[in-house]
Amino acid sequence: MGRVALVTGGSRGIGAAISQALKAAGYTVAANYAGNDEAAAAFTAETGIKTYKWNVADYEASKAGIAQVEADLGPVDVVVANAGITRDAPFHKMTPDQWKQVIDTNLTGVFNTVHPLWPGMRERKFGRVVVISSINGQKGQFGQVNYAATKAGDLGIIKSLAQEGARFGITANAVCPGYIATEMVMAVPEKVRESIIAGIPAGRLGEPAEIARCVAFLVSDDAGFVNGSTISANGAQFFV
Ligand code: CAA
C-alpha cells in the first residue's frame, strides 16, 4: 500500500481528477465530500476510491472525519485542500452571508483540514500539503471579492506553512488553476463565460486532469525541495 492521501472536495470537478491521479500514482486515496451523496456513491463505484462525508467549514467535523480516514486507511501523509465554493456577486450586492459562506469553506476549511494532520506529519517527519488556490486569488475578479480573498489567503497559508514545516520534511505548495471545465465554471452566465474564454491565450478552458498532474508532482517524494511555491496553470491568461 502506498502513502495515504486525503483530497477534500475529492469526488467532483478538479478534486475528482486529483483523487484519480493520486490513485493512479499508487496512493491510497480518501476523497472527502460535503453533501452530494449521489455523486460520491457514483464516484466510488466508478473508481474504487473511498468517499467520506463532512463539512470542511466545521472544525470538529473535519477532525472526526480525518480520524475516521486514519482509522480506516492509516496515517495521512498527503493532503490536498481542494474543497471550495463560489457565491459570486458584485460587491455592492454581496451579502454578509455570501461573504461568510465562502470564507468559512474556502479559507477556514483549509485550516480545518490541515491543522488536525499537522502534528502527525511533524512526528513522522514527512508531509505534503497542497492547496488549490485560483488565478482569481492572484489577479482578483469582478464579482468575487469573497472568493478572491480566500484564494489569495491560501497563498499566505502555504508560504507560512512551508517555513514552519520545512525542517520536518513537510512541504506546502499551491496550484492556481485558471478557468477549468468544471460545473463551477459552467455555472458562470454563458455570455460572461464566452468573454472569459476569449481572454485565455490558449483559446480553451483547462481540463481537470491538467491540474491533477501538477498536484501529483508536488506531492511526490521527488518534490521535497519545492516548498512554498505556486504553480499557475491557466493557459497563459495571467502571469504573476
Ligand atoms: N468587468 C467589468 N464590468 C463587469 C464585469 C466585468 N468582468 N462583469 C459584469 N460587469 C458589469 C456589467 O456589464 C453590468 O454593467 P451595467 O450595469 O453597466 O450593464 C454591471 O457590471 C452589473 O452586472 P450584472 O447586472 O450582470 O450583475 P449581476 O448581479 O447580475 O452579476 C456577476 C454579476 C455575478 C459578477 C456575473 O457577472 C458573474 O457571474 N461573473 C463571473 C464572475 C466569475 O468569473 N466567476 C468565476 C467563477 S469560476 C471560479 O471561480 C473558478 C476559478 O477559480 C477560476
Side-chain angles (χ1 to χ4, degrees), residues 31-199:
N32 149 268
Y33 73 101
N36 194 332
D37 293 321
E38 213 175 298
F43 179 74
T44 299
E46 193 187 318
T47 62
I49 294 170
K50 276 191 164 202
T51 46
Y52 292 84
K53 184 176 183 175
W54 73 81
N55 179 359
V56 297
D58 178 336
Y59 186 79
E60 291 307 323
S62 298
K63 219 173 130 182
I66 288 167
Q68 186 62 54
V69 169
E70 294 200 314
D72 290 352
L73 306 177
V76 172
D77 284 333
V78 171
V79 60
V80 185
N82 163 79
I85 59 170
T86 53
R87 297 289 182 268
D88 294 356
F91 189 55
H92 65 282
K93 291 187 192 169
M94 190 173 283
T95 63
D97 192 48
Q98 286 175 319
W99 168 261
K100 188 170 167 9
Q101 282 185 42
V102 172
I103 298 293
D104 288 354
T105 302
N106 296 14
L107 189 62
T108 307
V110 175
F111 176 87
N112 294 345
T113 299
V114 180
H115 191 259
L117 292 169
W118 195 251
M121 290 180 173
R122 280 168 51 107
E123 268 165 36
R124 295 189 300 277
K125 301 252 183 302
F126 182 87
R128 293 284 183 268
V129 177
V130 176
V131 180
I132 305 304
S133 175
S134 165
I135 185 175
N136 292 344
Q138 298 172 301
K139 71 168 185 58
Q141 172 59 42
F142 189 106
Q144 287 200 308
V145 164
N146 48 4
Y147 184 88
T150 63
K151 296 300 178 177
D154 288 340
L155 303 182
I157 290 175
I158 60 100
K159 288 171 190 170
S160 305
L161 285 181
Q163 293 176 51
E164 294 193 20
R167 68 196 170 95
F168 296 98
I170 306 171
T171 67
N173 293 286
V175 178
C176 283
Y179 282 77
I180 308 299
T182 61
E183 282 173 39
M184 187 182 270
V185 169
M186 293 309 162
V188 173
E190 195 179 348
K191 265 203 167 151
V192 180
R193 196 170 64 243
E194 278 168 11
S195 77
I196 289 169
I197 296 171

